[in-house]
């Protein structure tokens, strides 16, 4: 079994590290009338139920997903599988973002604001709407700050945090460098 991500059916997304030889070849094996790429995990090749070990270590590991996604090659060493898994986890973060309660709540808020605008609330009482949106924006901002603190507690890079925020690494660092690296959920 490959890498599984909680909350996502594994028939849609299951990750595997694929070994790539120094000449760029990905060893394969046949099962039935199909060909499959050989996984390389924990220092050994896996060819399904067969044992067709190519006899050499891979030069790289390539994180893959059954959905067709492929990450970047990672030079093979003792940390390569962890690095490949981290890429696949980032892929799954992208896949699952819309399954999160936070995303669903955001969609409801956006739909509610659109309905209020279309119903004339923005035109009828624009200053009240501006004040309400300012308070909402401040609250969302404090939630973003808590999420950044949680990301820093997990030792995620400023580059990855900036990417999630839609800004550069430098901008993310400038805005949030004073945020404590702490879990968002109180202990």
């Amino acid at each position: 079994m490959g890498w599984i991500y909680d909350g996502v059916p594994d028939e849609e997304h299951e990750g595997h590290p694929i070994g790539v030889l120094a000449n760029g070849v990905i060893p394969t094996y046949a099962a039935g009338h199909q060909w499959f790429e050989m996984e390389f995990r924990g220092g050994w090749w896996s060819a399904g139920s067969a044992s067709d070990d190519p006899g050499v270590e891979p030069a790289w590991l390539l994180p893959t997903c059954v959905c067709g996604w492929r990450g970047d090659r990672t030079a093979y060493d003792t940390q390569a599988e962890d690095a490949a898994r981290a890429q696949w986890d980032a892929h799954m973060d992208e896949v699952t973002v819309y399954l999160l309660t936070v995303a669903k709540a955001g969609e409801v808020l956006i739909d509610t604001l659109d309905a209020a605008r279309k119903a004339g609330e923005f035109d009828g009482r624009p200053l009240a709407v501006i004040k309400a949106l300012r308070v909402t924006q401040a609250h969302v901002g404090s939630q973003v700050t808590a999420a950044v603190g949680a990301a820093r507690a997990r030792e995620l890079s400023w580059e990855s945090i900036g990417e999630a925020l839609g800004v550069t690494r430098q901008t993310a660092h400038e805005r949030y460098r004073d945020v404590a690296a702490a879990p968002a959920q109180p202990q």
Side-chain angles (χ1 to χ4, degrees), residues 28-30 38 44-55:
T28 59
Y29 66 96
M38 293 179 75
W44 53 271
W45 293 92
S46 172
S49 59
S51 179
D52 297 328
D53 189 329

Side-chain angles (χ1 to χ4, degrees), residues 111-185:
D111 290 346
T112 302
L113 292 172
D114 283 345
R117 183 178 48 79
K118 289 174 184 172
E121 280 192 39
F122 283 44
D123 295 324
R125 302 191 62 190
L127 295 179
V129 170
I130 290 170
K131 289 176 185 177
L133 290 172
R134 183 197 57 189
V135 170
T136 301
Q137 185 176 34
H139 187 68
V140 168
S142 69
Q143 299 300 326
V144 170
T145 299
V148 169
R152 295 300 297 153
R154 292 187 61 193
E155 299 181 358
L156 298 175
S157 70
W158 283 113
E159 183 176 353
S160 62
I161 293 170
E163 184 178 312
L165 289 166
V167 299
T168 66
R169 172 199 58 79
Q170 182 178 352
T171 300
H173 181 259
E174 288 171 0
R175 288 183 189 165
Y176 296 100
R177 67 177 161 233
D178 295 331
V179 172
Q185 183 178 5

